[in-house]
Amino acid sequence: FAAPIHTSVGHVATRICVPNAMTKHQAGFACLCAGHVRVKNAGNILMKNVVDCSVGTLAWYLLGNGFAFGQSNGRANPFIGTGNFALNSVSFTGVDGEGYPQFFFHWAFSAAATTIVSGAVAERISFGTYMLYSCFMSSLVYPVVAHWLWTQWGWLSPLAAAPLFGSGAIDFAGGVVVHTVGGAASLIGVYFCGPRVGRFGIDGSPCRGYRENNSNLIVLGTFLLWFGWYGFNPGSALAVSTYSTAALVARTAVTTTIGAGTGGLSAMLIVYALTKKYDVMALCNGVLCGLVAVTPGCGVIDPWAAVIVAVLAAGTFIAVDHLMLKLRLDDVVSAVPMHLGCGALGTLCVGFFARQQYVEEVYGAPGPAVGRRWGVFFGGDGRLLACQVVALLSALCWVSALLVPYFWVARRLNVVRVPVEQEISGLDASKYGVLTTNELPTKPRTKRAGYV
Amino acid sequence: MATSVPTFCSDGELAALTALFKNATTAASFCERLAVAGTADGSVSLATNLAAVNEGVNTFFLTFAGALVFIMHAGFAMLCAGAIRSKNTMNILLQTVLDAAVSGICWYICGWAFAYGDVGRGNPFIGDWTFALVDWYSNGNPSGGKGRWSEWFFQWAFAATAATIPAGAVAERFNFNAYFAYTILISAWVYPVVVHWVWAPRGWLSAFNTTAPLAGSGMIDFAGSAVVHMVGGLTGLMGCILVGPRLGRFDSNGQPVDMPGHSATLVVLGTVLLWFGWYGFNPGSTLNIVATTAASSENLYLTSGRAAVTTTLSGSAAAVVALLSGLVRTGSWDLISVCNGALVGFVSITAGCAVLEPWAALIAGGVGALIFDATCWLWLKLRIDDPLSASPMHGVCGAWGVLVTGFLAAPHYVAQAYLNGKYGAFYPGGGGNLLGCQVVGILVVGAWTCFWSGLLFFVLKIFNKIRISPEEEQAGLDVSKHGGSAYNHDHGLGKGVKPGI
Amino acid sequence: MATSVPTFCSDGELAALTALFKNATTAASFCERLAVAGTADGSVSLATNLAAVNEGVNTFFLTFAGALVFIMHAGFAMLCAGAIRSKNTMNILLQTVLDAAVSGICWYICGWAFAYGDVGRGNPFIGDWTFALVDWYSNGNPSGGKGRWSEWFFQWAFAATAATIPAGAVAERFNFNAYFAYTILISAWVYPVVVHWVWAPRGWLSAFNTTAPLAGSGMIDFAGSAVVHMVGGLTGLMGCILVGPRLGRFDSNGQPVDMPGHSATLVVLGTVLLWFGWYGFNPGSTLNIVATTAASSENLYLTSGRAAVTTTLSGSAAAVVALLSGLVRTGSWDLISVCNGALVGFVSITAGCAVLEPWAALIAGGVGALIFDATCWLWLKLRIDDPLSASPMHGVCGAWGVLVTGFLAAPHYVAQAYLNGKYGAFYPGGGGNLLGCQVVGILVVGAWTCFWSGLLFFVLKIFNKIRISPEEEQAGLDVSKHGGSAYNHDHGLGKGVKPGI
C-alpha cells in the first residue's frame, strides 16, 4: 500500500511540476519570436503566442486530449483515440488514472507543437487563418501523431502489444510528435504564405534587414527554452519512482545539456569559418538545434552520442537554412531547418545510436510477443532504424494530408495573407491598435557608429 | 554500515520461534526479514522512515512551489514596466524589487506571527507567537513537529505577491515614501490578519476551523482570491482614488485620453511569467503533496493536480472572451486585452481552483473577463485612473472568484479538500451556508482592507505626502527621483545623465 | 498484476506455522499479510521499494534544482546586457550563452573527473577518474550505487555559473579569444580542483572529510560562496586589473565618468531571475531531500527548507541596506543599488545558508551590502573598472560569506548538516577551529584562483591578445566583431544594416 502511494506521488509530482517548466517554453517562444521579427510586427507575434496558449487549450480540452489519449471501455484503435473528450469520464483515482496531471502535461506539449509555426509565418499571415490553424493543429493534427507513437494502442508505438517490426519507433520526448510535426506544418505554411514583401530581390537573392531585431530577447528566449527543455525531456519519463526511471530522468538531463552545449558551439564555429564573425544568433540557433536533435533519443543514447548528434544538427541546420533561401522560402525564425531538419535528423540518429540496455530500461525487457531493437552501431539489426524511417514518413504524410488542403483552400479564398498595404505598414499599427514600443517614432534614432 | 543486523523479535520471541521452526537460523532469518516493520527496541521502523520521506517530499514540493510563486515578481515587474510610459519605468521596477525585500523583513518580524502564530493559544482574530522566528527550531509549529521552514518561505512568497499588486494601480504619480508606507502596512498588518481569519486553523472565517466554523462551513478561498488578490487590489483602488488621475489622463470634458504603455513585449513576457508562477500559486496551495495515510495522500495529489487543470482552463477561457470582447469594442485584435484577460481568469479561479469542475472553471474565467471589462468601463466613467487595471483585476475579479466558489463548489471535491464539507448552492443539497460565508468573507475582507489603506492614504493626503509635484510628474519619476533614465541608448563616450558615485 | 500471491514464508516456515495455527488457510493468509515486509525469495519488499522511491525523489529534486540553477544564466545574460552600453550587448550575450555551452563540454571531458572522480583512489588534491563520463553506467560513483546522472547535471550547472561570473567584470573591452581561454581554464581546471578540495569526501579542506579533516573541522561552504563566487569574482578581478579600464571611464584627473547601462528593465529582469535561480542553488545543495533513515531525512529537509528562508532574509536585508546607503550617498532612490544589494545578500549567505540562524542571515546580508559599497568605492579610487561590479560582489562578498559562517554557524544546525560538528566562534564552546578553517579556505582558494587567472591574463597581455583595439572599442564590439547591432528598430521596409545570409 505504501509503495504504490509513493509511485503515484512520483507520477503526480513529476507531472505537475514539469509542465511548469513547459509553460516557460511558451515564454521562451514568445521572446524568441518577438526578438526575431521586425518591431512593427512584434505585437502580432506576441498575440499569436498568447492565443496559442488560450485557444489551443480549449481545443485540446474539447477534442485533442480525447483523440490522443482517450479510450472507451479500456480500448482504442491503433490510429486514433476515441473517448474522454472534454475530460469526460476520465478516472481520477488510483495509480493508472492520473487524468488531470496527464492532461496538464500533454497540454503543454501540444501547445509547443502548435506554436512552432507562428514564428515561421510571422509578419504576413492573417490572424483568422492562424487562429483556425491553431485549433486544427491542437485538436486533430498533433493528437493523432501522439496517439500513434505514445500510447499503448498506437501502431508505431514501442509500448504496443505487437509493435511494428517487433520494435516500434522510439520518440522519447517528441522528435517526431512535436518537432517534425511542427516543422512540417511550418514548411507548408511558409510555402503557401509566400515570402514577405521585399524579402527577395528581383534576381531572387535575399535582401538585407529581415533578420533579428533584438538580441536581448532572442538570448532570453533561448535560455527560457533551454530551461523548459529540462521539463520537456526529463519530464517525458513521466515517473521517477524506481532506480531505473530515476537514472533515466537524470540521464536525459545530461544528454540534453551536452547536446545544447555542443550544438551551440559547433554552429558558432561553422558560422565563424564562413563569415569570420562570432555570431550570437548562430550560437542561439545552434543551442536550440542541439536540443531539438537530442529530443527523440535523449533517454536511450550515451553522452558521447549526444555530442555527435548535436554536431550533425548544427551542420544540418545551416545547410537547410541556406537551401530554404535558395528556394525562396521565407521562414522568419528558421523554424523549418530547426524543427523539421534537426527533428528528423535526431529521429534517424536514434536508429543508429540507441543503446540496448537503455532501450530496455525505458521500454521494458523483451517479452514473448514484444521485441526490443537497438541502434545499428550497437549491433542492432536495423529494424529500429526502419521503424524510425516509417514513423518520420508517416508523420510527414499525415501533416501534409491535412494541412496542404487547408492552406490551399485558404489561399484560393485569398484569406491567407494580410493585404499588402497592411504588411508594409506593419501588422501592429494596422491591426492591433498598438505599437510594441510606443515611443519609438518620437525618440531620436539610434546612431549606428561607423556604419552606413 | 549497520554493525548488527536489526531484528524484529525480542529474545523471548526469538526463543519461541526457534522452538517452533526447530532451527535457530531460520528463526533468526525470519525475525530479520520482519525487522522492516520495526525492531524490538523501536530503533528502526519503516513507518517512521516513510513519515520522514513524506515530510521530505512535502518540503521539496513547497520550496519549489514557493520559488514559482516568487517568479511572479519578475512577471509583475515586466508587466508593470511594459504597461507604463518609459519615463517612470525605474520607479515601478524599484517598487517591485523592493516589495519582495521589504515584505521578507516584515514577514520575518511580525507577519508570520500575526498570521499563523497560534499554537495552543491564538484567538480567532490574530496570532501572537513566533515573532522574528524566535524558537522556531526547538518549538513545534501549527503543522506539528519541528518548525517547517519551507512553509514560512512559501507563505512569504504569498505575502510578497499581495504587497506588490497595488504598485500598478498607483503607478506614475505616487510619492515614494507613501509607497514605502503602504507596502509595510500591507505585509506587516493588513494581509497577515486576513490570512489568520481565512487560513489559520482557529480563524473565525476559516474553512479549516473545525471547532466553531462560521455557519458550519467557513469561507473557501483555496489559494487567495480574497486573501491575496482582494487585499492587494482594493489597497490599489483606495490609492488610486485618493491620489487622483495622472496629469492629462482625462481631458477638460472628462473624456479619457489614451496613455499606452511603452513596450508590449514586456507586457507579454510579464503575463507569461505570471502564468508560469500561478502553477506554483494554485497547485502549491495544498501545502503538502503526500500524507501518512493513503486516503489523505490521494486527496492531496488529486486536489493539487486539479488545481493546475482548472487554472489553465479558466485563464484560457478568460483570454478568449477578452479577445472577442475587445474585438467588439474596438474592432481590432487587442493584445493587451488578451493578456489582461488571461490574468483575470487566473484571479477568478484562485479561490475555487481546488473545488470547481473544469466546466465551472470555464464559466469562472469567461464571466470574470466580462466583469473586468465592465469594471474598467465604470472606472473610466468615475474618472478613476488605474494604469495597470490592477483594482478591477485583483480587487473586483478576486471578489467574483470567491463568489462563484460559493455557487459552484462541487460536493465531491469539497470533501477532498476541506473537512467541513459544505458545498455550492448550485448543487442540490448544497444549501446556502457556504455561499453565505463567501459573501460575509468578501464584505469583511473588503471593509478591513479599505479601512486601513484608506486611513493610511487619507493621512498621507492630509500631509500632502501622497503625490509628487506636477513638475516632477511631467518630467517623469525616473529623472526626478531616481537619478536617471531606464534606457540609455547613447553610443557615445559615457555622457550619461546619472550623477557619478 | 502478479499471478501468484506473494508470501513471506518459505515452505518450511509455512509448514511450521500450519502446525502452530492448526489450519493451512490461516497460515497461508498470515504469510501473505506479512509479505509486505518481504518475500522468502526476496522478490518483494517494501523497504526496497521505499529505497527506490527515495532515489527517484532525490533525482527529481536534484534535476529540478539543477534546472533552476541553470535559469540563472538567463538572469546573468539579462543583467549583463542591461548594465552595459547597447553597442556591446551582443558581445556579452554571446559570452553568457557560450559559457553554458563550453562549460558543459569541459565538465564532461575532465571537470567532473577532477572534482569528484575519486572513488577508492583519489587524493586530497584532485580526482582522477571518470573522464568523459566513461563507464558511468556500469560503475559506481562517489554516492554509491549506479552512476547518478542527476548529480553530474546539477554540478555542471554550478560550474557554468562560476564560468559566467567574470564576463561582467571585463565587459566592453575584452578580446573574444581571451574570453574563450579563461572560460575553458575555469571550467576545466581552476573550478573543479577547488570543488575537490572543499566538497569531495577526500578533499583536504572539506567538511565532508571524516578521516582527516583540517583542524578537525574542515571548511563549511554549503553552496559555494568560495567555491563558485570567489573563483568567478576573483578571476574577473584579475581580468579587469590586467585589461585596464574602458576608454573614457576615468577622466584626465582620474575621476570616474559615469557609464550607465542601457536598460534598467533588463537589469531588474536579470536580478529577479537570479533570485529565482538561487532557490535551486542554495536549497538544492543538500543534493538529497530524503534518505533511508528517518533521522537523516529530517536533517536533509530541515536543512533545505532553512536554506530557502535564510536566502530570502539575507537578500532582503541587503537590498534594504543598499537602498538606504544609496539614498545617503546620492540622494536618490537608486534602482541599480537595490538590485546589486539583493544579489550581494545572496552571495553573502551562500556559504552559510544551511547553518545560520535567521537573524544571522540578516546580519550577513546587511553587512555584506556595506562591504560591497565600500569595495566599489575603493575600486574606483584604485581605478579598477568593473562594469558589473562582479568582483566586489562575487569575490569580496563571497569571502565575507565564508568568514561570517566561521563566526555565526549555529551548533544545532551544523550538527544537522555536517558530521564533524565544529561550529562558529560566536557560540560558547565553538572554539576557533571552524573559523580557522574558513580563513585558510579564503586564502588558499583566493591564491589559487588569482595565480592561474593572473598567469593566463598576463601571458595574453604579453602577446597583446587581451584587449581589442581603441577603434573597435569606440565603435562597439557588436559592430566590429559580431556583424551588427543588438537592436534594429527600423519601422521601414527592412533597410537594416546586417548583411543578409
Side-chain angles (χ1 to χ4, degrees), chain C residues 108-423:
Chain C
Y108 167 65
I109 294 173
C110 60
W112 170 274
F114 286 151
Y116 288 105
D118 68 347
V119 172
R121 62 191 225 195
N123 59 53
F125 178 71
I126 195 166
D128 61 355
W129 182 73
T130 53
F131 291 94
L133 289 180
V134 72
D135 289 333
W136 188 264
Y137 178 76
S138 47
N139 283 312
N141 81 337
S143 312
K146 293 186 185 163
R148 283 191 70 188
W149 298 92
S150 55
E151 201 159 328
W152 186 95
F153 169 66
F154 185 74
Q155 300 290 359
W156 158 72
F158 269 63
T161 307
T164 207
I165 289 172
V170 297
E172 307 208 60
R173 74 264 197 212
F174 220 56
N175 187 308
F176 195 77
N177 300 309
Y179 151 77
F180 229 147
Y182 86 70
T183 197
I184 292 174
L185 181 79
I186 290 188
S187 50
W189 175 247
V190 178
Y191 171 79
V193 172
V194 174
V195 167
H196 188 85
W197 297 350
V198 181
W199 285 343
R202 281 163 193 260
W204 67 273
L205 263 169
S206 170
F208 302 104
N209 185 337
T210 46
T211 51
L214 186 68
S217 163
M219 171 187 180
I220 291 184
D221 186 7
F222 186 71
S225 273
V227 177
V228 177
H229 294 286
M230 273 183 69
V231 167
L234 293 180
T235 303
L237 178 63
M238 297 312 285
C240 69
I241 289 175
L242 282 162
V243 76
R246 287 169 289 178
L247 285 182
R249 181 70 174 97
F250 297 97
D251 66 16
S252 50
N253 300 321
Q255 293 303 310
V257 176
D258 214 35
M259 287 189 172
H262 81 282
S263 170
T265 312
L266 290 178
V267 171
V268 168
L269 179 61
T271 304
V272 182
L273 285 175
L274 283 169
W275 191 333
F276 175 62
W278 237 291
Y279 291 126
F281 204 92
N282 287 359
S285 287
T286 53
L287 300 184
N288 290 303
I289 190 73
V290 291
T292 44
T293 68
S296 14
S297 282
E298 189 177 295
N299 287 344
L300 287 169
Y301 67 71
L302 288 179
T303 304
S304 181
R306 186 166 55 244
V309 174
T310 51
T311 303
T312 306
L313 289 174
S314 176
S316 303
V320 172
V321 170
L323 175 78
L324 299 177
S325 145
L327 183 66
V328 170
R329 279 185 293 115
T330 68
S332 65
W333 305 97
D334 189 6
L335 173 64
I336 307 298
S337 289
V338 171
C339 291
N340 280 336
L343 297 176
V344 162
F346 300 133
V347 171
S348 304
I349 197 66
T350 296
C353 58
V355 295
L356 295 190
E357 291 276 7
W359 57 262
L362 292 176
I363 295 175
V367 177
L370 297 176
I371 293 177
F372 173 76
D373 281 345
T375 314
C376 286
W377 174 84
L378 182 68
W379 266 209
L380 285 182
K381 286 284 159 211
L382 297 174
R383 301 205 200 175
I384 298 172
D385 176 24
D386 183 342
L388 267 279
S389 304
S391 55
M393 183 184 294
H394 299 279
V396 178
C397 292
W400 158 248
V402 175
L403 195 65
V404 75
T405 307
F407 285 106
L408 294 178
H412 40 296
Y413 297 156
V414 171
Q416 274 180 355
Y418 291 95
L419 291 169
N420 296 326
K422 292 282 185 288
Y423 50 89

Side-chain angles (χ1 to χ4, degrees), chain A residues 200 204 206 320-329:
Chain A
F200 297 99
V320 177
D321 200 30
H322 277 83
L323 181 66
M324 296 276 292
L325 287 180
K326 284 266 176 275
L327 298 174
R328 300 205 203 179
L329 292 168

Side-chain angles (χ1 to χ4, degrees), chain A residues 251-270:
Chain A
R251 188 170 60 243
T252 58
V254 174
T255 48
T256 304
T257 306
I258 292 178
T262 316
L265 196 59
S266 336
M268 192 191 72
L269 293 177
I270 294 172

